[in-house]
């Protein structure tokens, strides 16, 4: 599979799943644009590392995905793209009647609204290039719910719905739009939830991982960032040309239950 000459923008890709996806796209030959809201030497060094390892062009562009104008500017600064992966996301866990309004607004903005802005900005470039792939990283929580994750579940369901709409709007063009729905993947986002869960249930780390986190994941194994990256690469392949407007679960059987 070669994506030589294609340019991929991956939002929220200085860590976790986004970085894993960027690495797999680069391994398949794509030039990649990494992104987050910071602008550190480490961010730029990550891009240089990906370029060196896979022999592609890679750069880092700072843009805050909570701000619509910056989402759109990211696409323009990159000169458009062939592949857009909307991956930036945050989490906050609280009962809905105690859910902090600023956290609600930030989750909806970063996890859902950003995909609207980047997709709107990227589609005209894809049309000019005559090919495009939009891949939205939703979640098992785009298809099911869990208590205390109202904002996240709302945003991810929104992303799944948006993916279907974009697919219908581009159905007769060489452009597809799909959502990937991961179950639990061990990344900094998930790692950050472990201490509070340990305290809440009075459990050790391993017990929390097996009995609480992976309780809904029948495989009892985390999905890996490489597997997520591989799924994105598949959606960019010739075999996936007629796959549009759907979800692909990478969740060890979570949504089969
Ligand atoms: P992570 O915390 O490792 O990565 C999140 C990325 O988003 C980071 O690169 C971070 O810098 C970036 N980001 C956060 N706020 C941003 C902002 N305002 N502007 C730009 N970038 C921003 O988490 P992750 O687990 O790799 O999550 C990546 C995506 O996968 C998220 O959308 C998340 O909801 C989704 N997801 C994760 C899991 C999981 O188990 N880890 C499961 C399902 C879905």
């Amino acid at each position: 599979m070669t994506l030589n000459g294609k340019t991929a923008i991956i939002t929220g890709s200085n860590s976790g799943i986004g970085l894993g996806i960027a690495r797999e796209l680069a391994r398949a030959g794509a030039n990649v644009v990494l992104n987050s809201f910071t602008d550190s030497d480490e961010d730029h060094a990550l891009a240089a590392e990906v370029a060196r390892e896979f022999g592609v062009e890679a750069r880092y562009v700072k843009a805050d995905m909570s701000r619509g104008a910056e989402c759109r500017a990211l696409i323009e600064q990159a000169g458009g793209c062939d592949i857009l992966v909307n991956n930036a996301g945050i989490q906050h866990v609280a009962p809905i009647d105690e859910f902090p309004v600023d956290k609600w607004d930030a989750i909806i903005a970063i996890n859902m609204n950003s995909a609207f802005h980047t997709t709107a900005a990227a589609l005209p470039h894809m049309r000019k290039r005559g090919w495009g792939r939009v891949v939205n990283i939703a979640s098992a929580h785009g298809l099911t719910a869990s208590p205390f994750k109202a904002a996240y579940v709302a945003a991810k369901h929104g992303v799944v719905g948006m993916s279907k709409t974009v697919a219908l709007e581009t159905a007769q063009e060489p452009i597809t739009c799909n959502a990937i729905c991961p179950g639990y993947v061990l990344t900094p986002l998930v790692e950050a939830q472990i201490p509070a869960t340990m305290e809440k249930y009075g459990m050790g780390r391993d017990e929390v991982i097996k009995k609480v986190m992976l309780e809904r994941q029948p495989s009892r194994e985390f999905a890996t960032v490489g597997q997520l990256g591989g799924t994105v690469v598949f959606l960019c392949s010739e075999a996936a040309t007629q796959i549009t407007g759907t979800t692909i679960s990478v969740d060890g059987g979570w949504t089969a239950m």
Side-chain angles (χ1 to χ4, degrees), residues 40-257:
S40 67
D41 290 345
E42 289 79 26
D43 292 327
H44 293 276
L46 267 181
E49 215 177 287
V50 171
R52 217 176 16 253
E53 187 173 348
F54 299 107
V56 297
E57 288 171 28
R59 63 191 176 111
Y60 177 87
V61 176
K62 169 191 182 274
D64 184 344
M65 292 296 106
S66 69
R67 297 165 188 268
E70 290 194 33
C71 297
R72 289 170 188 260
L74 166 65
I75 306 298
E76 301 313 330
Q77 248 180 289
C81 60
D82 306 278
I83 300 162
L84 169 64
V85 183
N86 288 305
N87 166 80
I90 58 167
Q91 174 66 285
H92 185 81
V93 180
I96 194 154
D97 50 333
E98 292 169 21
F99 214 95
V101 173
D102 61 333
K103 294 284 186 202
W104 174 277
D105 289 344
I107 289 174
I108 298 297
I110 296 167
N111 296 20
M112 186 180 77
N113 294 351
S114 67
F116 157 59
H117 293 292
T118 54
T119 304
L123 278 181
H125 292 282
M126 291 177 178
R127 286 179 172 131
K128 257 185 234 149
R129 291 165 185 237
W131 191 88
R133 294 287 177 266
V134 180
V135 183
N136 293 324
I137 305 305
S139 167
H141 284 114
L143 303 167
T144 64
S146 293
F148 316 125
K149 295 186 176 176
Y152 189 84
V153 169
K156 294 300 188 181
H157 275 70
V159 162
V160 168
M162 197 191 316
S163 307
K164 293 178 187 177
T165 305
V166 172
L168 292 179
E169 291 182 18
T170 56
Q172 295 184 8
E173 301 175 80
I175 294 171
T176 68
C177 177
N178 293 286
I180 295 177
C181 296
Y184 270 114
V185 189
L186 193 56
T187 64
L189 182 142
V190 169
E191 194 68 57
Q193 295 173 46
I194 294 178
T197 317
M198 284 168 63
E199 203 178 307
K200 187 174 167 207
Y201 292 98
M203 290 179 178
R205 181 186 160 84
D206 287 353
E207 222 182 343
V208 156
I209 289 175
K210 288 274 180 221
K211 293 194 178 154
V212 182
M213 294 192 143
L214 297 180
E215 195 256 329
R216 293 179 74 183
Q217 197 145 306
S219 66
R220 298 285 187 267
E221 282 184 22
F222 286 111
T224 68
V225 300
Q227 290 161 358
L228 270 306
T231 308
V232 174
V233 170
F234 165 67
L235 284 172
C236 296
S237 72
E238 170 64 24
T241 303
Q242 286 298 317
I243 299 178
T244 194
T246 194
T247 56
I248 298 187
S249 290
V250 184
D251 66 1
W254 177 331
T255 46
M257 291 206 293

